[in-house]
């Protein structure tokens, strides 16, 4: 089965995939490891800022005294290590991988921590990516984690692999307030429903700009679209995050743990 092509017509094996079930299963954690709750930060499209929301949510929960981890499931476009200023490589034991620890104690694992150069492209097919997600869960020595966040991209192979191989307790849907927000939210909602994953709520990213002179909120993409989508699907809109040059600057510097703001407090309260 190690050479599986997923073309059942050419195979005589009686595996889960051939029988209509999932070819994946949740891999047990390493002995002595603990992960409490696992939440996916998802969207129906790319470019809405899942990495920004994930990193800030991890920092918010860490500030509340919880042990937090981030499993960067965006295998082909990892950005979490840069946001936290991590540029080295993860260390492995004989049969396991040690998560990298940030300055405030957040545990990280990302494919960028395994590459020789962090700018190397990851050109892998879906089954290989699914195997990496499984390894990040089961082969990393996660230490006494209360909350783990992962952020698979889109609604394709990677997201499917995450939901099939990780014990996800719920998803947080991230959207931006353009005209397509209803369709984007609908895709994420339907994906979660198909996988029987509870939806915690919505986060609207890039919601507004605060005028540096008068403090007034300006809405470059319009106001209220994400709230309408939330109402349509019976979901709470838990946060509106601003377009903030300072946040972008902190990410560029690898200092997201220094951000100031309480935009995600309602999400943290619900978790």
């Amino acid at each position: 089965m190690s050479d599986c092509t997923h073309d059942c017509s050419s195979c005589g094996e009686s595996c889960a995939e051939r029988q209509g079930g999932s070819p994946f299963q949740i891999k047990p954690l390493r002995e002595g490891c603990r992960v409490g709750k696992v939440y996916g930060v998802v969207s129906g499209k790319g470019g809405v800022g899942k990495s920004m929301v994930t990193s800030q949510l991890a920092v918010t929960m860490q500030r509340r005294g919880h042990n937090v981890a981030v499993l960067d499931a965006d295998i082909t476009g990892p950005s979490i290590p840069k946001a936290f200023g991590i540029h080295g490589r993860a260390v492995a034991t004989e049969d396991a991988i040690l998560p990298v620890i940030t300055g405030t104690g957040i545990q990280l694992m990302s494919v960028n921590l395994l590459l020789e150069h962090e700018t190397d492209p990851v050109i892998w097919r879906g089954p290989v990516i699914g195997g990496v997600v499984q390894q990040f869960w089961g082969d990393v020595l996660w230490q006494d984690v209360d909350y783990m966040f992962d952020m698979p991209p889109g609604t394709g192979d990677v997201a499917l692999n995450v939901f099939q191989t990780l014990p996800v307790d719920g998803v947080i849907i991230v959207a931006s307030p353009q005209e397509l927000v209803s369709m984007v939210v609908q895709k994420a909602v339907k994906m979660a429903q198909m996988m029987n994953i509870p939806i915690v709520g919505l986060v609207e990213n890039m919601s507004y700009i605060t005028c540096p002179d008068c403090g007034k909120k300006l809405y470059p993409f319009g106001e209220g679209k994400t709230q309408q989508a939330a109402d349509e699907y019976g979901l709470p809109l838990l946060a509106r995050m601003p377009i903030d040059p300072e946040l972008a600057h902190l990410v560029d510097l690898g200092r997201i743990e220094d951000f100031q703001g309480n935009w995600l407090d309602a999400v943290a309260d619900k978790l």
Side-chain angles (χ1 to χ4, degrees), residues 53 57 172-175 201-208 226-227 236-242 262-268:
V53 172
L57 186 55
I172 299 144
I173 298 176
V174 181
L202 302 185
V203 171
E204 182 180 80
N205 193 30
M206 298 180 282
S207 178
Y208 60 89
T226 306
Q227 184 64 66
L237 177 56
L238 297 175
R240 290 185 171 94
M241 293 179 59
N262 59 359
W263 307 289
L264 293 173
D265 280 0
V267 182

Side-chain angles (χ1 to χ4, degrees), residues 5-206:
T5 64
H6 301 280
D7 179 8
C8 296
S9 64
S10 65
C11 177
E13 294 285 344
S14 179
C15 65
E17 186 167 1
R18 187 179 183 86
Q19 296 168 4
S22 167
F24 302 107
Q25 57 182 335
I26 296 175
K27 190 173 184 176
L29 291 169
R30 286 279 165 171
E31 184 177 355
C33 295
R34 183 189 75 88
V35 174
K37 297 291 187 178
V38 179
Y39 290 100
V41 180
V42 304
S43 178
K45 66 182 294 294
V48 298
K50 292 186 296 295
S51 297
M52 177 69 81
V53 172
T54 301
S55 56
Q56 288 191 53
L57 186 55
V59 173
T60 299
M61 296 302 285
Q62 186 80 0
R63 288 174 178 175
R64 293 187 173 203
H66 303 293
N67 294 330
V68 179
V70 179
L71 189 160
D72 187 355
D74 193 347
I75 304 300
T76 58
S79 56
I80 288 293
K82 178 177 174 58
F84 286 89
I86 305 296
H87 299 285
R89 300 180 69 183
V91 176
T93 65
E94 290 184 359
D95 61 350
I97 307 170
L98 300 177
V100 174
I101 310 299
T102 72
T104 63
I106 297 172
Q107 301 174 49
L108 301 183
M109 181 48 59
S110 169
V111 74
N112 255 19
L113 302 175
L114 304 178
L115 300 175
E116 183 176 358
H117 306 290
E118 63 181 20
T119 56
D120 289 346
V122 178
I123 309 174
W124 297 339
R125 294 189 182 276
V128 177
I129 292 175
V132 172
V133 172
Q134 279 188 304
Q135 285 187 296
F136 281 179
W137 171 257
D139 290 341
V140 173
L141 297 177
W142 301 109
Q143 298 300 309
D144 196 26
V145 175
D146 298 319
Y147 292 93
M148 174 181 282
F149 299 101
D150 63 73
M151 18 94 56
T155 57
D157 275 354
V158 181
L160 183 61
N161 290 335
V162 165
F163 293 142
Q164 289 180 323
T165 60
L166 272 65
V168 180
D169 293 283
V171 296
I172 299 144
I173 298 176
V174 181
S176 54
Q178 287 95 335
E179 290 293 343
L180 294 176
V181 64
S182 180
M183 182 184 71
V184 170
V185 169
Q186 186 177 29
K187 286 179 180 291
V189 168
K190 286 186 174 181
M191 176 181 64
Q193 291 173 341
M194 291 172 66
M195 302 303 298
N196 295 315
I197 305 294
I199 300 172
V200 177
L202 302 185
V203 171
E204 182 180 80
N205 193 30
M206 298 180 282

